[in-house]
Amino acid sequence: MPTKGGIEYKVTNMVASSNLGLELDLFLLASEIPGIEYEPEQFPGAILKFDDPKATLLLFKNGKVVCVGCKTKAAIEKTLFRTLKLLTPKAKKIFKKQKNPKFEITNIVASASLGMSLDLYTIAYEVEDVEYEPEQFPGAILKFRDPKASLLLFKNGKVICAGSRDEKSIEAALFKAKRLLKPYASKEHK
């Protein structure tokens, strides 16, 4: 999807939270439903993975769920609906049936290219809110407060944008980053 600044990006992951409005017996669900992993000594929630759409759900006793891996809102809705359908017949005594649960997107991850090579050393030295430790990680981290987003910047101009809750914020962050970083493009890309 192109932004207003002409930067194309691709959503690679959405994280959403929801409340199924029911209490879950995670031991019972793990014993009755194939594919649900529950190891409370490792993690307090059960893990349910789907192939279509490709998603992972973290199920908690209080009915809260976190959905990871979907790339669209429609895929999140489909995954939550499938989860309810899967749980309802297997665990009638545990909770009452509910229609499609409401959900909130808590994080969107997108990848893009700024179309220019970047001098990460100079950017880290001269631009505020940038962290760069090349011996630890090959990318620099640029944090924006408005719009709220963190961008991983790589020398080749590729960017990973995370922390936004909607695509408008991703577009704004990429546009702002391109404008801010243009003076730091490698000489051959100015």
Side-chain angles (χ1 to χ4, degrees), residues 119-125 127 129-143 151-155:
D119 179 351
L120 296 180
Y121 286 102
T122 304
I123 290 169
Y125 185 72
V127 177
D129 296 320
V130 174
E131 297 173 28
Y132 183 48
E133 296 183 38
E135 29 331 298
Q136 301 285 325
F137 183 73
I141 302 168
L142 169 61
K143 294 185 179 181
L151 288 88
L152 295 178
L153 309 172
F154 298 94
K155 288 181 183 186

Side-chain angles (χ1 to χ4, degrees), residues 49-158:
K49 294 182 181 183
F50 290 111
D51 289 330
D52 181 35
K54 188 142 179 69
T56 299
L57 276 105
L58 306 176
L59 306 164
F60 297 94
K61 183 181 176 181
N62 63 2
K64 293 197 175 170
V65 295
V66 176
C67 179
V68 180
C70 294
K71 296 178 184 180
T72 64
K73 287 181 182 180
I76 294 168
E77 287 175 359
K78 183 178 178 182
T79 301
L80 291 173
F81 182 72
R82 279 188 68 197
T83 302
L84 276 174
K85 255 175 92 173
L86 179 68
L87 297 180
T88 301
K90 301 277 186 179
K92 284 181 186 161
K93 59 186 173 251
I94 300 172
F95 58 85
K96 51 190 175 281
K97 202 169 187 175
Q98 181 182 334
K99 300 279 187 226
N100 288 350
K102 292 182 172 77
F103 63 89
E104 176 186 6
I105 294 175
T106 57
N107 184 18
I108 300 176
V109 180
S111 60
S113 176
L114 297 177
M116 57 185 168
S117 297
L118 300 171
D119 179 351
L120 296 180
Y121 286 102
T122 304
I123 290 169
Y125 185 72
E126 295 183 10
V127 177
E128 198 175 316
D129 296 320
V130 174
E131 297 173 28
Y132 183 48
E133 296 183 38
E135 29 331 298
Q136 301 285 325
F137 183 73
I141 302 168
L142 169 61
K143 294 185 179 181
F144 288 138
R145 287 182 189 88
D146 186 29
K148 188 177 181 313
S150 294
L151 288 88
L152 295 178
L153 309 172
F154 298 94
K155 288 181 183 186
N156 63 2
K158 301 281 187 209

